[in-house]
Amino acid sequence: MDNNVIINIGRQLCAGGLEIGRLLADEFHAAYYDRELLNLAAKESGFSEEFFKSSDERKGFLRSFFHLPYANNLGASGSNFYQNNFSQESLFKFQSDAIRKVAQKGSCVFVGRCADYVLRDFPNVVNVFITASLEDRARLFMKEKGVSHEEALKRIEYIEHRRASYYNYYTGKRWGEAKSYDLCIDASVLGIPETARFIADFVRKKLSSHTP
């Protein structure tokens, strides 16, 4: 197996994707990227990180953006957006460029941001989708956000619909559909640490099978 490894993680909300991603990054001595990519994309584009945070995994964000109070405090004037035909696709391109740039430097674990699609032509890539039972995810959301069970379910559905729309639009694939990934796994079955170990073993076996 080549020393360089790229693991792209798609995940349901509150399914443990972030924790598993960090464990995998430690296991493979890889750089870990989640929201850190927004800062990298901001540096690439010259626009503020706050702008990228507001548009994070949100298809159609720019349609409503200019109604926000900080729309003119981006490091570029509002008029420049129109003059340069700035678009949601531009944001995606800046983020994609940042993903490809860091992936060329060494082993990486990416969480979300359509990294599986962006890095589809890179070698030694493994794409994973992490799920968990809805009740487990709702309990975690309730604990983290201090909301009722009913509110947790509503917000999970809303956020995942937004996330799926973004992924489907930019990749032409289906978010969470098995054929879009190398491995889909329910973290509720083994728990987070064991799920991470299972994925790590899968990554080694998959990449070793491709070694000449």
Side-chain angles (χ1 to χ4, degrees), residues 55-75:
S55 66
D56 189 24
E57 295 188 309
R58 290 177 59 189
K59 175 179 170 287
F61 161 75
L62 286 182
R63 284 197 295 270
S64 59
F65 176 76
F66 289 99
H67 296 291
L68 299 177
Y70 53 81
N72 289 320
N73 298 314
L74 302 171

Side-chain angles (χ1 to χ4, degrees), residues 101-171:
K101 189 172 183 178
V102 296
Q104 290 169 350
K105 296 179 180 179
S107 295
C108 298
V109 174
F110 296 98
V111 178
R113 281 81 197 172
C114 301
D116 58 326
Y117 175 76
V118 174
L119 301 175
R120 62 194 180 280
D121 295 325
F122 275 59
N124 295 335
V125 171
V126 180
N127 301 317
V128 179
F129 191 83
I130 298 170
T131 67
S133 73
L134 182 57
E135 280 306 307
D136 283 352
R137 295 188 292 124
R139 279 194 293 270
L140 180 57
F141 195 94
M142 290 165 63
K143 180 180 178 181
E144 290 183 348
K145 304 297 183 181
V147 299
S148 68
H149 184 265
E150 181 182 6
E151 180 65 16
L153 293 177
K154 287 180 180 178
R155 290 172 67 176
I156 286 172
E157 181 181 11
Y158 169 75
I159 293 169
E160 290 194 340
H161 174 74
R162 190 179 72 188
R163 187 177 287 174
S165 296
Y166 179 91
Y167 181 89
N168 297 347
Y169 177 78
Y170 283 108
T171 69

Side-chain angles (χ1 to χ4, degrees), residues 14-66:
C14 291
L18 302 181
E19 296 91 335
I20 291 169
R22 292 188 184 97
L23 289 171
L24 289 170
D26 289 342
E27 178 71 20
F28 289 98
H29 306 290
Y32 172 84
Y33 295 99
D34 175 27
R35 293 183 71 87
E36 293 87 351
L37 285 169
L38 305 180
N39 184 48
L40 293 174
K43 289 179 179 177
E44 290 286 324
S45 67
F47 292 98
S48 75
E49 185 178 356
E50 185 63 33
F51 184 42
F52 282 87
K53 285 181 180 178
S54 299
S55 66
D56 189 24
E57 295 188 309
R58 290 177 59 189
K59 175 179 170 287
F61 161 75
L62 286 182
R63 284 197 295 270
S64 59
F65 176 76
F66 289 99

